[in-house]
mmCIF file of all heavy atoms in Angstrom:
data_model
loop_
_atom_site.group_PDB
_atom_site.id
_atom_site.type_symbol
_atom_site.label_atom_id
_atom_site.label_comp_id
_atom_site.label_asym_id
_atom_site.label_seq_id
_atom_site.Cartn_x
_atom_site.Cartn_y
_atom_site.Cartn_z
ATOM 1 N N TYR N 566 81.173 41.476 37.581
ATOM 2 C CA TYR N 566 80.550 40.526 38.521
ATOM 3 C C TYR N 566 79.053 40.557 38.363
ATOM 4 O O TYR N 566 78.517 41.393 37.621
ATOM 5 C CB TYR N 566 80.930 40.939 39.950
ATOM 6 C CG TYR N 566 82.406 41.146 40.185
ATOM 7 C CD1 TYR N 566 83.040 42.375 40.073
ATOM 8 C CD2 TYR N 566 83.153 40.080 40.564
ATOM 9 C CE1 TYR N 566 84.409 42.528 40.368
ATOM 10 C CE2 TYR N 566 84.534 40.207 40.805
ATOM 11 C CZ TYR N 566 85.142 41.403 40.613
ATOM 12 O OH TYR N 566 86.432 41.548 40.919
ATOM 13 N N ASN N 567 78.485 39.579 38.948
ATOM 14 C CA ASN N 567 77.056 39.505 38.987
ATOM 15 C C ASN N 567 76.554 40.376 40.150
ATOM 16 O O ASN N 567 76.312 41.551 40.068
ATOM 17 C CB ASN N 567 76.548 38.064 39.114
ATOM 18 C CG ASN N 567 75.082 37.869 39.094
ATOM 19 O OD1 ASN N 567 74.376 38.773 38.417
ATOM 20 N ND2 ASN N 567 74.551 36.967 39.765
ATOM 21 N N ALA N 568 76.456 39.802 41.345
ATOM 22 C CA ALA N 568 75.909 40.554 42.532
ATOM 23 C C ALA N 568 77.189 40.861 43.323
ATOM 24 O O ALA N 568 77.972 40.018 43.738
ATOM 25 C CB ALA N 568 74.953 39.785 43.391
ATOM 26 N N VAL N 569 77.326 42.113 43.746
ATOM 27 C CA VAL N 569 78.456 42.552 44.655
ATOM 28 C C VAL N 569 77.800 43.040 45.956
ATOM 29 O O VAL N 569 76.881 43.873 45.879
ATOM 30 C CB VAL N 569 79.272 43.661 44.072
ATOM 31 C CG1 VAL N 569 80.308 44.248 45.034
ATOM 32 C CG2 VAL N 569 79.957 43.136 42.752
ATOM 33 N N SER N 570 78.227 42.513 47.055
ATOM 34 C CA SER N 570 77.766 42.948 48.330
ATOM 35 C C SER N 570 78.860 43.130 49.349
ATOM 36 O O SER N 570 79.841 42.356 49.366
ATOM 37 C CB SER N 570 76.702 41.942 48.855
ATOM 38 O OG SER N 570 77.356 40.723 49.093
ATOM 39 N N VAL N 571 78.748 44.185 50.108
ATOM 40 C CA VAL N 571 79.748 44.517 51.102
ATOM 41 C C VAL N 571 79.031 44.624 52.480
ATOM 42 O O VAL N 571 78.079 45.439 52.593
ATOM 43 C CB VAL N 571 80.482 45.822 50.828
ATOM 44 C CG1 VAL N 571 81.458 46.153 51.996
ATOM 45 C CG2 VAL N 571 81.309 45.701 49.489
ATOM 46 N N SER N 572 79.413 43.824 53.443
ATOM 47 C CA SER N 572 78.899 43.931 54.779
ATOM 48 C C SER N 572 80.090 44.088 55.750
ATOM 49 O O SER N 572 80.804 43.208 55.968
ATOM 50 C CB SER N 572 78.104 42.687 55.138
ATOM 51 O OG SER N 572 77.657 42.755 56.451
ATOM 52 N N GLY N 573 80.243 45.285 56.263
ATOM 53 C CA GLY N 573 81.389 45.580 57.094
ATOM 54 C C GLY N 573 82.188 46.663 56.408
ATOM 55 O O GLY N 573 81.821 47.790 56.274
ATOM 56 N N SER N 574 83.503 46.309 56.047
ATOM 57 C CA SER N 574 84.375 47.284 55.422
ATOM 58 C C SER N 574 84.878 46.647 54.156
ATOM 59 O O SER N 574 85.543 45.596 54.203
ATOM 60 C CB SER N 574 85.449 47.564 56.410
ATOM 61 O OG SER N 574 86.451 48.415 55.848
ATOM 62 N N GLY N 575 84.711 47.361 53.007
ATOM 63 C CA GLY N 575 85.157 46.934 51.732
ATOM 64 C C GLY N 575 85.790 48.021 50.982
ATOM 65 O O GLY N 575 85.418 49.128 51.024
ATOM 66 N N LYS N 576 86.768 47.586 50.120
ATOM 67 C CA LYS N 576 87.497 48.501 49.238
ATOM 68 C C LYS N 576 87.478 47.966 47.842
ATOM 69 O O LYS N 576 87.838 46.887 47.588
ATOM 70 C CB LYS N 576 88.939 48.737 49.724
ATOM 71 C CG LYS N 576 89.548 49.912 48.942
ATOM 72 C CD LYS N 576 90.892 50.282 49.690
ATOM 73 C CE LYS N 576 91.562 51.487 48.993
ATOM 74 N NZ LYS N 576 92.761 51.896 49.678
ATOM 75 N N LEU N 577 87.001 48.813 46.877
ATOM 76 C CA LEU N 577 86.908 48.432 45.434
ATOM 77 C C LEU N 577 88.105 49.095 44.727
ATOM 78 O O LEU N 577 88.336 50.274 44.904
ATOM 79 C CB LEU N 577 85.614 48.866 44.848
ATOM 80 C CG LEU N 577 84.331 48.063 45.147
ATOM 81 C CD1 LEU N 577 84.001 48.099 46.608
ATOM 82 C CD2 LEU N 577 83.148 48.645 44.360
ATOM 83 N N PHE N 578 88.726 48.310 43.889
ATOM 84 C CA PHE N 578 89.835 48.856 43.081
ATOM 85 C C PHE N 578 89.530 48.964 41.626
ATOM 86 O O PHE N 578 88.964 48.043 41.002
ATOM 87 C CB PHE N 578 91.050 47.934 43.321
ATOM 88 C CG PHE N 578 91.660 47.938 44.700
ATOM 89 C CD1 PHE N 578 91.187 47.083 45.647
ATOM 90 C CD2 PHE N 578 92.660 48.830 45.011
ATOM 91 C CE1 PHE N 578 91.731 47.180 46.924
ATOM 92 C CE2 PHE N 578 93.173 48.956 46.228
ATOM 93 C CZ PHE N 578 92.668 48.043 47.213
ATOM 94 N N GLY N 579 89.925 50.039 41.022
ATOM 95 C CA GLY N 579 89.653 50.206 39.589
ATOM 96 C C GLY N 579 88.145 50.320 39.278
ATOM 97 O O GLY N 579 87.348 50.742 40.039
ATOM 98 N N GLN N 580 87.786 49.918 38.062
ATOM 99 C CA GLN N 580 86.374 49.975 37.648
ATOM 100 C C GLN N 580 85.720 48.614 37.953
ATOM 101 O O GLN N 580 86.117 47.666 37.387
ATOM 102 C CB GLN N 580 86.365 50.357 36.090
ATOM 103 C CG GLN N 580 84.927 50.575 35.560
ATOM 104 C CD GLN N 580 84.971 50.877 34.097
ATOM 105 O OE1 GLN N 580 84.714 50.069 33.260
ATOM 106 N NE2 GLN N 580 85.290 52.151 33.762
ATOM 107 N N VAL N 581 84.659 48.780 38.687
ATOM 108 C CA VAL N 581 83.886 47.615 39.093
ATOM 109 C C VAL N 581 82.506 47.645 38.350
ATOM 110 O O VAL N 581 81.761 48.581 38.491
ATOM 111 C CB VAL N 581 83.659 47.528 40.609
ATOM 112 C CG1 VAL N 581 82.696 46.336 40.845
ATOM 113 C CG2 VAL N 581 84.953 47.260 41.254
ATOM 114 N N ARG N 582 82.258 46.623 37.562
ATOM 115 C CA ARG N 582 80.961 46.480 36.839
ATOM 116 C C ARG N 582 80.194 45.292 37.400
ATOM 117 O O ARG N 582 80.838 44.230 37.645
ATOM 118 C CB ARG N 582 81.172 46.244 35.320
ATOM 119 C CG ARG N 582 81.796 47.461 34.582
ATOM 120 C CD ARG N 582 82.030 47.205 33.123
ATOM 121 N NE ARG N 582 82.440 48.314 32.392
ATOM 122 C CZ ARG N 582 81.709 49.237 31.832
ATOM 123 N NH1 ARG N 582 80.390 49.099 31.891
ATOM 124 N NH2 ARG N 582 82.206 50.215 31.169
ATOM 125 N N CYS N 583 78.889 45.529 37.591
ATOM 126 C CA CYS N 583 78.165 44.443 38.199
ATOM 127 C C CYS N 583 76.730 44.583 37.935
ATOM 128 O O CYS N 583 76.280 45.595 37.293
ATOM 129 C CB CYS N 583 78.304 44.509 39.736
ATOM 130 S SG CYS N 583 77.809 46.091 40.498
ATOM 131 N N ALA N 584 75.973 43.517 38.166
ATOM 132 C CA ALA N 584 74.466 43.492 37.814
ATOM 133 C C ALA N 584 73.745 44.200 39.016
ATOM 134 O O ALA N 584 72.850 45.011 38.798
ATOM 135 C CB ALA N 584 73.966 42.071 37.743
ATOM 136 N N THR N 585 74.135 43.934 40.296
ATOM 137 C CA THR N 585 73.543 44.604 41.446
ATOM 138 C C THR N 585 74.655 44.904 42.397
ATOM 139 O O THR N 585 75.653 44.280 42.423
ATOM 140 C CB THR N 585 72.501 43.772 42.107
ATOM 141 O OG1 THR N 585 73.067 42.556 42.563
ATOM 142 C CG2 THR N 585 71.308 43.438 41.134
ATOM 143 N N PHE N 586 74.395 45.950 43.269
ATOM 144 C CA PHE N 586 75.434 46.305 44.293
ATOM 145 C C PHE N 586 74.715 46.623 45.547
ATOM 146 O O PHE N 586 73.743 47.378 45.625
ATOM 147 C CB PHE N 586 76.281 47.448 43.762
ATOM 148 C CG PHE N 586 77.306 47.974 44.763
ATOM 149 C CD1 PHE N 586 78.476 47.346 44.759
ATOM 150 C CD2 PHE N 586 77.002 48.959 45.610
ATOM 151 C CE1 PHE N 586 79.522 47.732 45.648
ATOM 152 C CE2 PHE N 586 78.054 49.372 46.498
ATOM 153 C CZ PHE N 586 79.268 48.729 46.509
ATOM 154 N N SER N 587 75.269 46.249 46.697
ATOM 155 C CA SER N 587 74.826 46.684 47.919
ATOM 156 C C SER N 587 75.889 46.684 48.932
ATOM 157 O O SER N 587 76.884 45.986 48.867
ATOM 158 C CB SER N 587 73.747 45.603 48.520
ATOM 159 O OG SER N 587 74.354 44.392 48.737
ATOM 160 N N SER N 588 75.790 47.743 49.804
ATOM 161 C CA SER N 588 76.860 47.982 50.777
ATOM 162 C C SER N 588 76.282 48.398 52.103
ATOM 163 O O SER N 588 75.471 49.332 52.142
ATOM 164 C CB SER N 588 77.862 49.023 50.330
ATOM 165 O OG SER N 588 78.803 49.343 51.326
ATOM 166 N N ALA N 589 76.570 47.767 53.187
ATOM 167 C CA ALA N 589 76.117 48.145 54.534
ATOM 168 C C ALA N 589 77.365 48.196 55.468
ATOM 169 O O ALA N 589 78.067 47.152 55.649
ATOM 170 C CB ALA N 589 75.138 47.103 54.996
#
C-alpha cells in the first residue's frame, strides 16, 4: 500500500508493506 492509517480499531493480516503507517 501507499499510506496506511487506522483510526479506531484495525486488524492487519499477513505481511503489510507500505510507504507510511499511522495508528490511533
